């Protein structure tokens, strides 16, 4: 079983890494593990502004 989460909480045009860590720990506690983490970047912003996260059942 898999699920996809689009994460786009930003702080100063970059991914809010603290919020991302909180999401990942919450999902792990619910029995999901990260299968793939796909970063999204933009020509207009420096760095990553979002992730598509693929989870699978642990």
């Amino acid at each position: 079983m898999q699920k996809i989460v689009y994460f786009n909480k930003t702080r100063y045009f970059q991914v809010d890494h603290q919020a991302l860590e909180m999401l990942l720990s919450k999902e792990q506690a619910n029995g999901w593990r990260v299968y793939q983490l796909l970063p999204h970047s933009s020509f207009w912003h420096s760095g990553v502004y979002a992730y598509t996260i693929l989870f699978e059942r642990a």
Side-chain angles (χ1 to χ4, degrees):
M1 183 179 212
Q2 294 184 332
K3 74 174 177 175
I4 298 174
V5 173
Y6 180 73
F7 179 85
N8 66 344
K9 280 190 182 176
T10 57
R11 178 174 286 170
Y12 308 112
F13 303 108
Q14 300 230 348
V15 163
D16 184 342
H17 290 284
Q18 189 176 5
L20 178 62
E21 287 298 322
M22 287 171 50
L23 171 74
L24 296 179
S25 345
K26 186 186 86 171
E27 295 294 350
Q28 267 188 322
N30 290 330
W32 293 94
R33 73 181 174 98
V34 175
Y35 173 70
Q36 202 167 12
L37 198 62
L38 305 167
H40 298 277
S41 55
S42 163
F43 177 76
W44 305 108
H45 297 117
S46 59
V48 173
Y49 69 88
Y51 283 100
T52 297
I53 309 165
L54 307 177
F55 288 100
E56 65 182 4
R57 272 293 183 200

